[in-house]
PDB file of all heavy atoms in Angstrom:
ATOM      1  N   SER A1441     -76.925   7.741 -12.837  1.00  0.00           N
ATOM      2  CA  SER A1441     -77.978   8.656 -12.288  1.00  0.00           C
ATOM      3  C   SER A1441     -79.233   8.669 -13.098  1.00  0.00           C
ATOM      4  O   SER A1441     -80.165   9.405 -12.812  1.00  0.00           O
ATOM      5  CB  SER A1441     -77.410  10.106 -12.247  1.00  0.00           C
ATOM      6  OG  SER A1441     -76.205  10.119 -11.466  1.00  0.00           O
ATOM      7  N   GLY A1442     -79.364   7.772 -14.065  1.00  0.00           N
ATOM      8  CA  GLY A1442     -80.607   7.617 -14.831  1.00  0.00           C
ATOM      9  C   GLY A1442     -80.997   8.826 -15.715  1.00  0.00           C
ATOM     10  O   GLY A1442     -80.082   9.450 -16.233  1.00  0.00           O
ATOM     11  N   ASP A1443     -82.245   9.071 -15.873  1.00  0.00           N
ATOM     12  CA  ASP A1443     -82.699  10.065 -16.785  1.00  0.00           C
ATOM     13  C   ASP A1443     -82.244  11.495 -16.439  1.00  0.00           C
ATOM     14  O   ASP A1443     -82.136  12.351 -17.308  1.00  0.00           O
ATOM     15  CB  ASP A1443     -84.272  10.081 -16.827  1.00  0.00           C
ATOM     16  CG  ASP A1443     -84.839   8.807 -17.417  1.00  0.00           C
ATOM     17  OD1 ASP A1443     -84.053   8.138 -18.117  1.00  0.00           O
ATOM     18  OD2 ASP A1443     -86.027   8.505 -17.206  1.00  0.00           O
ATOM     19  N   ASP A1444     -81.979  11.749 -15.164  1.00  0.00           N
ATOM     20  CA  ASP A1444     -81.536  13.097 -14.757  1.00  0.00           C
ATOM     21  C   ASP A1444     -79.981  13.195 -14.735  1.00  0.00           C
ATOM     22  O   ASP A1444     -79.420  14.092 -14.159  1.00  0.00           O
ATOM     23  CB  ASP A1444     -82.040  13.417 -13.362  1.00  0.00           C
ATOM     24  CG  ASP A1444     -83.596  13.553 -13.380  1.00  0.00           C
ATOM     25  OD1 ASP A1444     -84.117  14.010 -14.430  1.00  0.00           O
ATOM     26  OD2 ASP A1444     -84.193  13.311 -12.380  1.00  0.00           O
ATOM     27  N   GLY A1445     -79.341  12.278 -15.357  1.00  0.00           N
ATOM     28  CA  GLY A1445     -77.907  12.179 -15.238  1.00  0.00           C
ATOM     29  C   GLY A1445     -77.096  12.982 -16.247  1.00  0.00           C
ATOM     30  O   GLY A1445     -76.379  12.426 -17.054  1.00  0.00           O
ATOM     31  N   VAL A1446     -77.170  14.269 -16.101  1.00  0.00           N
ATOM     32  CA  VAL A1446     -76.280  15.157 -16.863  1.00  0.00           C
ATOM     33  C   VAL A1446     -75.037  15.401 -16.040  1.00  0.00           C
ATOM     34  O   VAL A1446     -75.135  15.897 -14.900  1.00  0.00           O
ATOM     35  CB  VAL A1446     -76.921  16.485 -17.241  1.00  0.00           C
ATOM     36  CG1 VAL A1446     -75.925  17.433 -17.846  1.00  0.00           C
ATOM     37  CG2 VAL A1446     -78.118  16.254 -18.169  1.00  0.00           C
ATOM     38  N   CYS A1447     -73.883  15.007 -16.546  1.00  0.00           N
ATOM     39  CA  CYS A1447     -72.606  15.276 -15.867  1.00  0.00           C
ATOM     40  C   CYS A1447     -71.546  15.297 -16.923  1.00  0.00           C
ATOM     41  O   CYS A1447     -71.327  14.369 -17.660  1.00  0.00           O
ATOM     42  CB  CYS A1447     -72.290  14.179 -14.821  1.00  0.00           C
ATOM     43  SG  CYS A1447     -70.823  14.512 -13.854  1.00  0.00           S
ATOM     44  N   VAL A1448     -70.873  16.440 -17.035  1.00  0.00           N
ATOM     45  CA  VAL A1448     -69.855  16.639 -18.080  1.00  0.00           C
ATOM     46  C   VAL A1448     -68.668  17.376 -17.522  1.00  0.00           C
ATOM     47  O   VAL A1448     -68.743  17.974 -16.435  1.00  0.00           O
ATOM     48  CB  VAL A1448     -70.385  17.459 -19.280  1.00  0.00           C
ATOM     49  CG1 VAL A1448     -71.612  16.825 -19.932  1.00  0.00           C
ATOM     50  CG2 VAL A1448     -70.746  18.922 -18.847  1.00  0.00           C
ATOM     51  N   ALA A1449     -67.545  17.271 -18.209  1.00  0.00           N
ATOM     52  CA  ALA A1449     -66.340  18.060 -17.901  1.00  0.00           C
ATOM     53  C   ALA A1449     -66.587  19.431 -18.468  1.00  0.00           C
ATOM     54  O   ALA A1449     -66.578  19.621 -19.684  1.00  0.00           O
ATOM     55  CB  ALA A1449     -65.105  17.423 -18.508  1.00  0.00           C
ATOM     56  N   ALA A1450     -66.804  20.433 -17.622  1.00  0.00           N
ATOM     57  CA  ALA A1450     -67.169  21.755 -18.052  1.00  0.00           C
ATOM     58  C   ALA A1450     -65.981  22.592 -18.364  1.00  0.00           C
ATOM     59  O   ALA A1450     -65.956  23.414 -19.294  1.00  0.00           O
ATOM     60  CB  ALA A1450     -68.055  22.428 -17.008  1.00  0.00           C
ATOM     61  N   ASN A1451     -64.950  22.531 -17.500  1.00  0.00           N
ATOM     62  CA  ASN A1451     -63.715  23.292 -17.699  1.00  0.00           C
ATOM     63  C   ASN A1451     -62.495  22.377 -17.635  1.00  0.00           C
ATOM     64  O   ASN A1451     -62.268  21.706 -16.599  1.00  0.00           O
ATOM     65  CB  ASN A1451     -63.544  24.311 -16.540  1.00  0.00           C
ATOM     66  CG  ASN A1451     -64.579  25.328 -16.487  1.00  0.00           C
ATOM     67  OD1 ASN A1451     -65.622  25.324 -17.186  1.00  0.00           O
ATOM     68  ND2 ASN A1451     -64.451  26.327 -15.535  1.00  0.00           N
ATOM     69  N   ASP A1452     -61.736  22.311 -18.717  1.00  0.00           N
ATOM     70  CA  ASP A1452     -60.465  21.616 -18.701  1.00  0.00           C
ATOM     71  C   ASP A1452     -59.456  22.703 -18.523  1.00  0.00           C
ATOM     72  O   ASP A1452     -58.955  23.295 -19.481  1.00  0.00           O
ATOM     73  CB  ASP A1452     -60.266  20.863 -20.039  1.00  0.00           C
ATOM     74  CG  ASP A1452     -58.941  20.139 -20.125  1.00  0.00           C
ATOM     75  OD1 ASP A1452     -58.250  20.063 -19.094  1.00  0.00           O
ATOM     76  OD2 ASP A1452     -58.599  19.715 -21.263  1.00  0.00           O
ATOM     77  N   ASN A1453     -59.173  23.029 -17.240  1.00  0.00           N
ATOM     78  CA  ASN A1453     -58.361  24.232 -16.926  1.00  0.00           C
ATOM     79  C   ASN A1453     -56.880  24.022 -17.086  1.00  0.00           C
ATOM     80  O   ASN A1453     -56.149  24.933 -17.584  1.00  0.00           O
ATOM     81  CB  ASN A1453     -58.677  24.715 -15.471  1.00  0.00           C
ATOM     82  CG  ASN A1453     -60.043  25.400 -15.395  1.00  0.00           C
ATOM     83  OD1 ASN A1453     -60.489  25.988 -16.386  1.00  0.00           O
ATOM     84  ND2 ASN A1453     -60.665  25.301 -14.281  1.00  0.00           N
ATOM     85  N   ALA A1454     -56.373  22.924 -16.585  1.00  0.00           N
ATOM     86  CA  ALA A1454     -54.907  22.680 -16.609  1.00  0.00           C
ATOM     87  C   ALA A1454     -54.723  21.201 -16.349  1.00  0.00           C
ATOM     88  O   ALA A1454     -55.686  20.470 -16.041  1.00  0.00           O
ATOM     89  CB  ALA A1454     -54.225  23.471 -15.517  1.00  0.00           C
ATOM     90  N   ASP A1455     -53.515  20.684 -16.515  1.00  0.00           N
ATOM     91  CA  ASP A1455     -53.213  19.322 -16.204  1.00  0.00           C
ATOM     92  C   ASP A1455     -53.589  19.058 -14.697  1.00  0.00           C
ATOM     93  O   ASP A1455     -53.130  19.783 -13.845  1.00  0.00           O
ATOM     94  CB  ASP A1455     -51.704  18.995 -16.357  1.00  0.00           C
ATOM     95  CG  ASP A1455     -51.318  19.142 -17.882  1.00  0.00           C
ATOM     96  OD1 ASP A1455     -52.017  18.525 -18.717  1.00  0.00           O
ATOM     97  OD2 ASP A1455     -50.361  19.873 -18.180  1.00  0.00           O
ATOM     98  N   GLY A1456     -54.449  18.076 -14.526  1.00  0.00           N
ATOM     99  CA  GLY A1456     -54.874  17.740 -13.161  1.00  0.00           C
ATOM    100  C   GLY A1456     -55.828  18.722 -12.526  1.00  0.00           C
ATOM    101  O   GLY A1456     -56.017  18.740 -11.327  1.00  0.00           O
ATOM    102  N   GLN A1457     -56.514  19.517 -13.349  1.00  0.00           N
ATOM    103  CA  GLN A1457     -57.505  20.504 -12.780  1.00  0.00           C
ATOM    104  C   GLN A1457     -58.677  20.576 -13.743  1.00  0.00           C
ATOM    105  O   GLN A1457     -58.641  21.319 -14.756  1.00  0.00           O
ATOM    106  CB  GLN A1457     -56.836  21.844 -12.554  1.00  0.00           C
ATOM    107  CG  GLN A1457     -57.756  22.853 -11.860  1.00  0.00           C
ATOM    108  CD  GLN A1457     -57.099  24.161 -11.642  1.00  0.00           C
ATOM    109  OE1 GLN A1457     -55.895  24.259 -11.420  1.00  0.00           O
ATOM    110  NE2 GLN A1457     -57.852  25.223 -11.627  1.00  0.00           N
ATOM    111  N   VAL A1458     -59.738  19.842 -13.406  1.00  0.00           N
ATOM    112  CA  VAL A1458     -60.910  19.779 -14.277  1.00  0.00           C
ATOM    113  C   VAL A1458     -62.158  20.112 -13.417  1.00  0.00           C
ATOM    114  O   VAL A1458     -62.232  19.679 -12.258  1.00  0.00           O
ATOM    115  CB  VAL A1458     -61.061  18.388 -14.898  1.00  0.00           C
ATOM    116  CG1 VAL A1458     -62.317  18.294 -15.800  1.00  0.00           C
ATOM    117  CG2 VAL A1458     -59.814  18.003 -15.744  1.00  0.00           C
ATOM    118  N   VAL A1459     -63.135  20.860 -14.001  1.00  0.00           N
ATOM    119  CA  VAL A1459     -64.327  21.166 -13.288  1.00  0.00           C
ATOM    120  C   VAL A1459     -65.479  20.432 -13.952  1.00  0.00           C
ATOM    121  O   VAL A1459     -65.586  20.427 -15.194  1.00  0.00           O
ATOM    122  CB  VAL A1459     -64.578  22.674 -13.315  1.00  0.00           C
ATOM    123  CG1 VAL A1459     -65.915  23.040 -12.686  1.00  0.00           C
ATOM    124  CG2 VAL A1459     -63.487  23.423 -12.567  1.00  0.00           C
ATOM    125  N   LEU A1460     -66.355  19.792 -13.140  1.00  0.00           N
ATOM    126  CA  LEU A1460     -67.505  19.082 -13.614  1.00  0.00           C
ATOM    127  C   LEU A1460     -68.757  19.954 -13.465  1.00  0.00           C
ATOM    128  O   LEU A1460     -68.789  20.823 -12.580  1.00  0.00           O
ATOM    129  CB  LEU A1460     -67.744  17.771 -12.805  1.00  0.00           C
ATOM    130  CG  LEU A1460     -66.571  16.836 -12.611  1.00  0.00           C
ATOM    131  CD1 LEU A1460     -66.995  15.624 -11.877  1.00  0.00           C
ATOM    132  CD2 LEU A1460     -65.879  16.500 -13.918  1.00  0.00           C
ATOM    133  N   SER A1461     -69.802  19.643 -14.280  1.00  0.00           N
ATOM    134  CA  SER A1461     -71.021  20.386 -14.192  1.00  0.00           C
ATOM    135  C   SER A1461     -72.169  19.463 -14.574  1.00  0.00           C
ATOM    136  O   SER A1461     -72.000  18.598 -15.426  1.00  0.00           O
ATOM    137  CB  SER A1461     -70.989  21.647 -15.108  1.00  0.00           C
ATOM    138  OG  SER A1461     -72.146  22.416 -14.952  1.00  0.00           O
ATOM    139  N   GLY A1462     -73.323  19.723 -13.967  1.00  0.00           N
ATOM    140  CA  GLY A1462     -74.521  18.919 -14.331  1.00  0.00           C
ATOM    141  C   GLY A1462     -75.525  18.852 -13.223  1.00  0.00           C
ATOM    142  O   GLY A1462     -75.590  19.728 -12.339  1.00  0.00           O
ATOM    143  N   ASN A1463     -76.375  17.807 -13.284  1.00  0.00           N
ATOM    144  CA  ASN A1463     -77.383  17.596 -12.178  1.00  0.00           C
ATOM    145  C   ASN A1463     -76.621  17.275 -10.912  1.00  0.00           C
ATOM    146  O   ASN A1463     -75.624  16.533 -10.906  1.00  0.00           O
ATOM    147  CB  ASN A1463     -78.275  16.442 -12.542  1.00  0.00           C
ATOM    148  CG  ASN A1463     -79.233  16.749 -13.682  1.00  0.00           C
ATOM    149  OD1 ASN A1463     -78.994  16.324 -14.815  1.00  0.00           O
ATOM    150  ND2 ASN A1463     -80.263  17.499 -13.411  1.00  0.00           N
ATOM    151  N   LYS A1464     -77.175  17.807  -9.822  1.00  0.00           N
ATOM    152  CA  LYS A1464     -76.494  17.688  -8.516  1.00  0.00           C
ATOM    153  C   LYS A1464     -76.199  16.206  -8.094  1.00  0.00           C
ATOM    154  O   LYS A1464     -75.086  15.840  -7.726  1.00  0.00           O
ATOM    155  CB  LYS A1464     -77.307  18.348  -7.421  1.00  0.00           C
ATOM    156  CG  LYS A1464     -76.628  18.510  -6.122  1.00  0.00           C
ATOM    157  CD  LYS A1464     -77.418  19.459  -5.209  1.00  0.00           C
ATOM    158  CE  LYS A1464     -76.608  19.776  -3.933  1.00  0.00           C
ATOM    159  NZ  LYS A1464     -76.665  18.716  -2.978  1.00  0.00           N
ATOM    160  N   GLU A1465     -77.214  15.337  -8.383  1.00  0.00           N
ATOM    161  CA  GLU A1465     -77.058  13.951  -8.031  1.00  0.00           C
ATOM    162  C   GLU A1465     -75.933  13.289  -8.829  1.00  0.00           C
ATOM    163  O   GLU A1465     -75.096  12.526  -8.285  1.00  0.00           O
ATOM    164  CB  GLU A1465     -78.366  13.182  -8.291  1.00  0.00           C
ATOM    165  CG  GLU A1465     -78.309  11.705  -7.933  1.00  0.00           C
ATOM    166  CD  GLU A1465     -79.517  10.962  -8.416  1.00  0.00           C
ATOM    167  OE1 GLU A1465     -80.628  11.535  -8.521  1.00  0.00           O
ATOM    168  OE2 GLU A1465     -79.422   9.746  -8.705  1.00  0.00           O
ATOM    169  N   ALA A1466     -75.874  13.598 -10.117  1.00  0.00           N
ATOM    170  CA  ALA A1466     -74.832  12.998 -11.000  1.00  0.00           C
ATOM    171  C   ALA A1466     -73.483  13.533 -10.629  1.00  0.00           C
ATOM    172  O   ALA A1466     -72.463  12.803 -10.625  1.00  0.00           O
ATOM    173  CB  ALA A1466     -75.144  13.281 -12.464  1.00  0.00           C
ATOM    174  N   VAL A1467     -73.348  14.845 -10.334  1.00  0.00           N
ATOM    175  CA  VAL A1467     -72.080  15.432  -9.978  1.00  0.00           C
ATOM    176  C   VAL A1467     -71.595  14.839  -8.610  1.00  0.00           C
ATOM    177  O   VAL A1467     -70.392  14.553  -8.483  1.00  0.00           O
ATOM    178  CB  VAL A1467     -72.185  16.951  -9.901  1.00  0.00           C
ATOM    179  CG1 VAL A1467     -70.911  17.610  -9.320  1.00  0.00           C
ATOM    180  CG2 VAL A1467     -72.435  17.530 -11.291  1.00  0.00           C
ATOM    181  N   GLU A1468     -72.488  14.655  -7.653  1.00  0.00           N
ATOM    182  CA  GLU A1468     -72.092  14.087  -6.377  1.00  0.00           C
ATOM    183  C   GLU A1468     -71.668  12.680  -6.552  1.00  0.00           C
ATOM    184  O   GLU A1468     -70.726  12.199  -5.903  1.00  0.00           O
ATOM    185  CB  GLU A1468     -73.256  14.168  -5.398  1.00  0.00           C
ATOM    186  CG  GLU A1468     -73.516  15.620  -4.890  1.00  0.00           C
ATOM    187  CD  GLU A1468     -74.733  15.695  -4.009  1.00  0.00           C
ATOM    188  OE1 GLU A1468     -75.665  14.797  -4.089  1.00  0.00           O
ATOM    189  OE2 GLU A1468     -74.839  16.692  -3.214  1.00  0.00           O
ATOM    190  N   ARG A1469     -72.274  11.945  -7.470  1.00  0.00           N
ATOM    191  CA  ARG A1469     -71.875  10.576  -7.791  1.00  0.00           C
ATOM    192  C   ARG A1469     -70.475  10.551  -8.405  1.00  0.00           C
ATOM    193  O   ARG A1469     -69.645   9.750  -8.076  1.00  0.00           O
ATOM    194  CB  ARG A1469     -72.899   9.954  -8.780  1.00  0.00           C
ATOM    195  CG  ARG A1469     -72.542   8.559  -9.297  1.00  0.00           C
ATOM    196  CD  ARG A1469     -72.637   7.504  -8.237  1.00  0.00           C
ATOM    197  NE  ARG A1469     -72.277   6.216  -8.732  1.00  0.00           N
ATOM    198  CZ  ARG A1469     -71.602   5.289  -7.996  1.00  0.00           C
ATOM    199  NH1 ARG A1469     -71.224   5.538  -6.756  1.00  0.00           N
ATOM    200  NH2 ARG A1469     -71.305   4.125  -8.526  1.00  0.00           N
ATOM    201  N   ALA A1470     -70.228  11.495  -9.266  1.00  0.00           N
ATOM    202  CA  ALA A1470     -68.897  11.612  -9.842  1.00  0.00           C
ATOM    203  C   ALA A1470     -67.808  11.890  -8.818  1.00  0.00           C
ATOM    204  O   ALA A1470     -66.714  11.392  -8.907  1.00  0.00           O
ATOM    205  CB  ALA A1470     -68.895  12.768 -10.908  1.00  0.00           C
ATOM    206  N   ILE A1471     -68.142  12.730  -7.811  1.00  0.00           N
ATOM    207  CA  ILE A1471     -67.199  12.986  -6.751  1.00  0.00           C
ATOM    208  C   ILE A1471     -66.873  11.728  -5.976  1.00  0.00           C
ATOM    209  O   ILE A1471     -65.671  11.454  -5.730  1.00  0.00           O
ATOM    210  CB  ILE A1471     -67.740  14.091  -5.745  1.00  0.00           C
ATOM    211  CG1 ILE A1471     -67.790  15.405  -6.427  1.00  0.00           C
ATOM    212  CG2 ILE A1471     -66.931  14.098  -4.442  1.00  0.00           C
ATOM    213  CD1 ILE A1471     -68.495  16.488  -5.625  1.00  0.00           C
ATOM    214  N   GLU A1472     -67.870  10.932  -5.709  1.00  0.00           N
ATOM    215  CA  GLU A1472     -67.627   9.642  -5.002  1.00  0.00           C
ATOM    216  C   GLU A1472     -66.771   8.683  -5.834  1.00  0.00           C
ATOM    217  O   GLU A1472     -65.862   8.022  -5.340  1.00  0.00           O
ATOM    218  CB  GLU A1472     -68.960   8.986  -4.604  1.00  0.00           C
ATOM    219  CG  GLU A1472     -69.755   9.761  -3.610  1.00  0.00           C
ATOM    220  CD  GLU A1472     -68.949  10.106  -2.350  1.00  0.00           C
ATOM    221  OE1 GLU A1472     -68.265   9.221  -1.783  1.00  0.00           O
ATOM    222  OE2 GLU A1472     -68.932  11.292  -1.967  1.00  0.00           O
ATOM    223  N   LEU A1473     -67.085   8.628  -7.105  1.00  0.00           N
ATOM    224  CA  LEU A1473     -66.312   7.780  -8.051  1.00  0.00           C
ATOM    225  C   LEU A1473     -64.853   8.234  -8.146  1.00  0.00           C
ATOM    226  O   LEU A1473     -63.907   7.409  -8.193  1.00  0.00           O
ATOM    227  CB  LEU A1473     -66.948   7.749  -9.413  1.00  0.00           C
ATOM    228  CG  LEU A1473     -68.233   7.019  -9.615  1.00  0.00           C
ATOM    229  CD1 LEU A1473     -68.856   7.297 -11.024  1.00  0.00           C
ATOM    230  CD2 LEU A1473     -67.994   5.479  -9.497  1.00  0.00           C
ATOM    231  N   ALA A1474     -64.690   9.545  -8.164  1.00  0.00           N
ATOM    232  CA  ALA A1474     -63.296  10.103  -8.225  1.00  0.00           C
ATOM    233  C   ALA A1474     -62.512   9.734  -7.013  1.00  0.00           C
ATOM    234  O   ALA A1474     -61.348   9.376  -7.092  1.00  0.00           O
ATOM    235  CB  ALA A1474     -63.404  11.599  -8.444  1.00  0.00           C
ATOM    236  N   LYS A1475     -63.188   9.818  -5.854  1.00  0.00           N
ATOM    237  CA  LYS A1475     -62.493   9.446  -4.620  1.00  0.00           C
ATOM    238  C   LYS A1475     -62.075   7.995  -4.630  1.00  0.00           C
ATOM    239  O   LYS A1475     -60.988   7.608  -4.135  1.00  0.00           O
ATOM    240  CB  LYS A1475     -63.341   9.802  -3.402  1.00  0.00           C
ATOM    241  CG  LYS A1475     -63.435  11.327  -3.179  1.00  0.00           C
ATOM    242  CD  LYS A1475     -64.391  11.666  -2.022  1.00  0.00           C
ATOM    243  CE  LYS A1475     -64.502  13.161  -1.767  1.00  0.00           C
ATOM    244  NZ  LYS A1475     -65.492  13.520  -0.843  1.00  0.00           N
ATOM    245  N   GLU A1476     -63.015   7.167  -5.140  1.00  0.00           N
ATOM    246  CA  GLU A1476     -62.721   5.728  -5.200  1.00  0.00           C
ATOM    247  C   GLU A1476     -61.517   5.448  -6.115  1.00  0.00           C
ATOM    248  O   GLU A1476     -60.792   4.510  -5.898  1.00  0.00           O
ATOM    249  CB  GLU A1476     -63.953   4.923  -5.757  1.00  0.00           C
ATOM    250  CG  GLU A1476     -65.113   4.833  -4.766  1.00  0.00           C
ATOM    251  CD  GLU A1476     -66.347   4.324  -5.465  1.00  0.00           C
ATOM    252  OE1 GLU A1476     -66.228   3.777  -6.553  1.00  0.00           O
ATOM    253  OE2 GLU A1476     -67.452   4.481  -4.854  1.00  0.00           O
ATOM    254  N   LYS A1477     -61.363   6.300  -7.130  1.00  0.00           N
ATOM    255  CA  LYS A1477     -60.276   6.145  -8.101  1.00  0.00           C
ATOM    256  C   LYS A1477     -59.008   6.805  -7.610  1.00  0.00           C
ATOM    257  O   LYS A1477     -57.995   6.921  -8.394  1.00  0.00           O
ATOM    258  CB  LYS A1477     -60.701   6.638  -9.461  1.00  0.00           C
ATOM    259  CG  LYS A1477     -61.857   5.807 -10.071  1.00  0.00           C
ATOM    260  CD  LYS A1477     -62.310   6.365 -11.369  1.00  0.00           C
ATOM    261  CE  LYS A1477     -63.561   5.733 -11.902  1.00  0.00           C
ATOM    262  NZ  LYS A1477     -63.396   4.333 -12.196  1.00  0.00           N
ATOM    263  N   GLY A1478     -59.012   7.419  -6.444  1.00  0.00           N
ATOM    264  CA  GLY A1478     -57.777   7.982  -5.859  1.00  0.00           C
ATOM    265  C   GLY A1478     -57.472   9.421  -6.248  1.00  0.00           C
ATOM    266  O   GLY A1478     -56.318   9.815  -6.178  1.00  0.00           O
ATOM    267  N   VAL A1479     -58.501  10.172  -6.709  1.00  0.00           N
ATOM    268  CA  VAL A1479     -58.264  11.589  -7.032  1.00  0.00           C
ATOM    269  C   VAL A1479     -57.731  12.331  -5.806  1.00  0.00           C
ATOM    270  O   VAL A1479     -58.085  12.011  -4.703  1.00  0.00           O
ATOM    271  CB  VAL A1479     -59.508  12.208  -7.601  1.00  0.00           C
ATOM    272  CG1 VAL A1479     -60.552  12.458  -6.448  1.00  0.00           C
ATOM    273  CG2 VAL A1479     -59.221  13.594  -8.266  1.00  0.00           C
ATOM    274  N   ARG A1480     -56.829  13.273  -6.025  1.00  0.00           N
ATOM    275  CA  ARG A1480     -56.188  13.986  -4.933  1.00  0.00           C
ATOM    276  C   ARG A1480     -57.237  14.830  -4.107  1.00  0.00           C
ATOM    277  O   ARG A1480     -57.273  14.814  -2.845  1.00  0.00           O
ATOM    278  CB  ARG A1480     -55.112  14.928  -5.434  1.00  0.00           C
ATOM    279  CG  ARG A1480     -54.353  15.678  -4.333  1.00  0.00           C
ATOM    280  CD  ARG A1480     -52.967  16.053  -4.810  1.00  0.00           C
ATOM    281  NE  ARG A1480     -53.006  16.735  -6.086  1.00  0.00           N
ATOM    282  CZ  ARG A1480     -53.215  18.037  -6.202  1.00  0.00           C
ATOM    283  NH1 ARG A1480     -53.343  18.796  -5.157  1.00  0.00           N
ATOM    284  NH2 ARG A1480     -53.146  18.646  -7.431  1.00  0.00           N
ATOM    285  N   LYS A1481     -58.125  15.482  -4.847  1.00  0.00           N
ATOM    286  CA  LYS A1481     -59.167  16.294  -4.182  1.00  0.00           C
ATOM    287  C   LYS A1481     -60.377  16.380  -5.102  1.00  0.00           C
ATOM    288  O   LYS A1481     -60.277  16.570  -6.276  1.00  0.00           O
ATOM    289  CB  LYS A1481     -58.626  17.681  -3.877  1.00  0.00           C
ATOM    290  CG  LYS A1481     -59.496  18.474  -2.914  1.00  0.00           C
ATOM    291  CD  LYS A1481     -58.724  19.730  -2.402  1.00  0.00           C
ATOM    292  CE  LYS A1481     -59.507  20.408  -1.328  1.00  0.00           C
ATOM    293  NZ  LYS A1481     -58.796  21.656  -0.855  1.00  0.00           N
TER     294      LYS A1481
END
Side-chain angles (χ1 to χ4, degrees):
S1441 302
D1443 292 342
D1444 294 330
V1446 173
C1447 186
V1448 300
N1451 298 5
D1452 179 12
N1453 283 332
D1455 295 309
Q1457 187 177 331
V1458 181
V1459 175
L1460 311 184
S1461 184
N1463 290 102
K1464 191 165 187 285
E1465 180 189 332
V1467 171
E1468 289 175 339
R1469 175 69 181 144
I1471 290 174
E1472 294 309 311
L1473 287 169
K1475 289 176 178 175
E1476 290 169 15
K1477 295 177 189 295
V1479 71
R1480 183 156 52 86
K1481 194 168 188 181

